[in-house]
Amino acid sequence: MADSPVRPSMSHSYHCRIYVTLRPSVLDPAGTAVQSGLQQLGYDSVSQVRIGKYIELTLEAPDEATASQQLDTMCDQLLANTVIENYCFEITALEGAVTP
Amino acid sequence: MADSPVRPSMSHSYHCRIYVTLRPSVLDPAGTAVQSGLQQLGYDSVSQVRIGKYIELTLEAPDEATASQQLDTMCDQLLANTVIENYCFEITALEGAVTP
């Protein structure tokens, strides 16, 4: 087989959606600016605007538990700054995407 | 009553989550950089990294249909650049948040 040595011998593809948000105690100047912009456009009933990041990626892993564990480490190491940000994610198996 | 004249006489609070993503045909250099970073950390099985925005806000509206319509206009006018970005949103009614 021509698989890379680091790839598991039987892996599934997962579509992952990661949401990175500022912790509630951290000020969000961008959110405040957007809220002000919306209110200037006439949307007076908008409040508590917070802006975060939304990251989509495809991950190959032997099973969903492993994918979840890897994503968690990725978020801790690179995708989120856990001092000021929280993160959560959703994992969806891509149908018919088994790599033998 | 001391309500603002622009506020509907009976309004509900809705928690709105808006996802703004680059259109698939638009290059995403930030996503490519993050993918490269993840691969340098040893996550070789990551691909198709795309970075978007995740916006949370609270909206007061008489009903969910009106909230949805207002959000749609907000996204078109300010929150997303529809030339290069797509958006979608979810609306959740905040329980017990009826403003008479």
Side-chain angles (χ1 to χ4, degrees):
Chain A
M1 290 221 288
D3 276 357
S4 150
V6 293
R7 179 177 292 181
S9 58
M10 173 73 98
S11 71
H12 299 256
S13 286
Y14 295 95
H15 182 242
C16 309
R17 287 180 297 278
I18 303 151
Y19 311 93
V20 180
T21 50
L22 281 172
R23 286 180 184 266
S25 58
V26 177
L27 285 176
D28 181 4
T32 309
V34 166
Q35 180 169 325
S36 165
L38 286 171
Q39 287 172 347
Q40 281 173 30
L41 287 172
Y43 300 103
D44 298 304
S45 58
V46 171
S47 60
Q48 298 176 46
V49 180
R50 305 281 289 176
I51 299 187
K53 280 179 290 184
Y54 171 60
I55 303 168
E56 286 181 324
L57 54 84
T58 303
L59 182 62
E60 289 195 18
D63 54 55
E64 197 165 319
T66 311
S68 171
Q69 193 186 4
Q70 286 194 357
L71 261 189
D72 209 40
T73 326
M74 281 183 218
C75 288
D76 271 331
Q77 287 191 307
L78 185 81
L79 302 179
N81 175 354
T82 53
V83 176
I84 56 166
E85 291 172 329
N86 290 327
Y87 64 83
C88 61
F89 51 77
E90 292 168 357
I91 299 177
T92 318
L94 293 172
E95 278 182 31
V98 176
T99 313
Chain B
M1 290 219 288
D3 275 359
S4 150
V6 296
R7 179 177 293 179
S9 58
M10 175 70 99
S11 71
H12 298 257
S13 287
Y14 296 95
H15 183 241
C16 310
R17 288 179 297 276
I18 303 152
Y19 311 94
V20 180
T21 50
L22 281 171
R23 286 180 183 266
S25 58
V26 178
L27 285 177
D28 181 5
T32 309
V34 166
Q35 180 168 327
S36 166
L38 286 171
Q39 287 172 348
Q40 282 173 31
L41 286 173
Y43 301 103
D44 298 305
S45 59
V46 171
S47 59
Q48 298 175 45
V49 180
R50 306 280 288 176
I51 298 186
K53 278 179 291 184
Y54 171 59
I55 304 167
E56 286 181 324
L57 55 85
T58 303
L59 182 63
E60 289 196 18
D63 53 56
E64 196 165 321
T66 311
S68 171
Q69 193 187 3
Q70 286 193 358
L71 261 189
D72 210 41
T73 326
M74 282 182 217
C75 288
D76 271 332
Q77 288 190 306
L78 185 81
L79 302 178
N81 175 356
T82 53
V83 176
I84 57 166
E85 291 172 329
N86 290 327
Y87 63 83
C88 61
F89 51 78
E90 293 168 357
I91 298 177
T92 318
L94 292 172
E95 278 182 32
V98 175
T99 312

